[in-house]
Amino acid sequence: QQQVKQSPQSLIVQKGGISIINCAYENTAFDYFPWYQQFPGKGPALLIAIRPDVSEKKEGRFTISFNKSAKQFSLHIMDSQPGDSATYFCAASISGNTPLVFGKGTRLSVIA
Amino acid sequence: DGGITQSPKYLFRKEGQNVTLSCEQNLNHDAMYWYRQDPGQGLRLIYYSQIVNDFQKGDIAEGYSVSREKKESFPLTVTSAQKNPTAFYLCASSRRGEDYGYTFGSGTRLTVV
């Protein structure tokens, strides 16, 4: 049973374009939704996170959109750059109570 | 600098051997976690510990064991009972509480030879 479903599995975007990665979750008790960025051979690093009391959170070029009724959230990377090429993971948890459950990841390639 | 250190970076194991992966943190975090990463599978939880001398099984605990004798340390032993141990292993730590983010180590790549 996959609690967090992430799509697409891979994504190729032109430099300057918008990258969009989607996640859907099953457990309505989840209340913390982070995104992690991972470069090859490294551990993931927290990129941005959202809680269900807001529908959108923006940090620089990165935005999370959250749709509680649809049980979906997405990561938007504006003005995508080659340095953004990495694997991105969405995750969810019941904050302070359970470990993070991760999606399967999206490999993003930004080409010039 | 505060952080989380995993060692070794690369590890080779013969069939039938137990191996122990080290994870140390100096962030004063209460909780620590072990995840396994396989291509296309995301991160799957092996074990986690929220306080010293206590730990819980994750989704794929079979063939693995852990200990948490000190707040700073959470070693993972991959036993010979783990049928497919070749993977990238990630250790993480976090504060307990309402909002937290994980700090991950740089991982250990284990290969069975």
Side-chain angles (χ1 to χ4, degrees):
Chain A
Q1 180 187 358
Q2 189 180 350
Q3 294 194 62
V4 178
K5 294 184 179 181
Q6 183 172 347
S7 62
Q9 188 173 359
S10 63
L11 182 61
I12 299 174
V13 173
Q14 291 277 353
K15 179 182 175 182
I18 302 173
S19 304
I20 302 174
I21 304 171
N22 301 298
C23 283
Y25 63 96
E26 299 288 331
N27 190 344
T28 55
F30 286 150
D31 62 357
Y32 176 70
F33 302 91
W35 284 90
Y36 283 80
Q37 179 189 55
Q38 184 183 32
F39 294 104
K42 303 294 185 183
L46 179 64
L47 194 60
I48 187 172
I50 198 168
R51 297 181 64 81
D53 52 347
V54 297
S55 60
E56 186 175 283
K57 182 176 181 180
K58 183 176 181 179
E59 290 184 2
R61 295 184 295 109
F62 301 91
T63 299
I64 299 179
S65 297
F66 186 82
N67 185 329
K68 188 174 181 178
S69 61
K71 295 187 289 184
Q72 295 176 346
F73 58 110
S74 60
L75 176 69
H76 295 234
I77 306 174
M78 312 300 287
D79 187 26
S80 298
Q81 299 297 313
D84 297 329
S85 297
T87 299
Y88 292 82
F89 293 96
C90 62
S93 73
I94 304 170
S95 60
N97 202 8
T98 63
L100 286 172
V101 177
F102 286 85
K104 292 190 174 184
T106 296
R107 179 175 288 185
L108 172 65
S109 298
V110 181
I111 56 175
Chain B
D1 284 340
I4 184 164
T5 301
Q6 290 187 241
S7 62
K9 190 170 180 64
Y10 299 96
L11 187 57
F12 297 89
R13 191 194 91 170
K14 292 183 179 180
E15 294 274 359
Q17 281 185 337
N18 293 354
V19 290
T20 298
L21 283 58
S22 172
C23 179
E24 303 277 336
Q25 54 98 0
N26 61 3
L27 299 165
N28 200 32
H29 285 171
D30 292 300
M32 297 187 74
Y33 313 84
W34 276 104
Y35 285 87
R36 169 179 171 145
Q37 185 174 15
D38 298 282
Q41 293 296 315
L43 279 68
R44 293 182 291 169
L45 183 66
I46 304 173
Y47 269 98
Y48 67 103
S49 168
Q50 295 187 316
I51 55 173
V52 175
N53 292 322
D54 188 46
F55 49 82
Q56 287 76 42
K57 293 182 178 180
D59 300 319
I60 57 166
E62 184 176 351
Y64 300 97
S65 66
V66 293
S67 63
R68 187 86 187 277
E69 297 176 1
K70 299 186 301 181
K71 187 176 184 178
E72 301 79 16
S73 179
F74 191 40
L76 173 73
T77 296
V78 184
T79 75
S80 57
Q82 169 50 235
K83 299 304 179 188
N84 184 21
T86 295
F88 189 50
Y89 291 87
L90 287 160
C91 180
S93 69
S94 73
R95 290 190 184 91
R96 295 182 68 191
E98 191 172 307
D99 273 319
Y100 58 88
Y102 286 9
T103 299
F104 279 89
S106 294
T108 293
R109 186 165 298 280
L110 173 63
T111 303
V112 174
V113 296

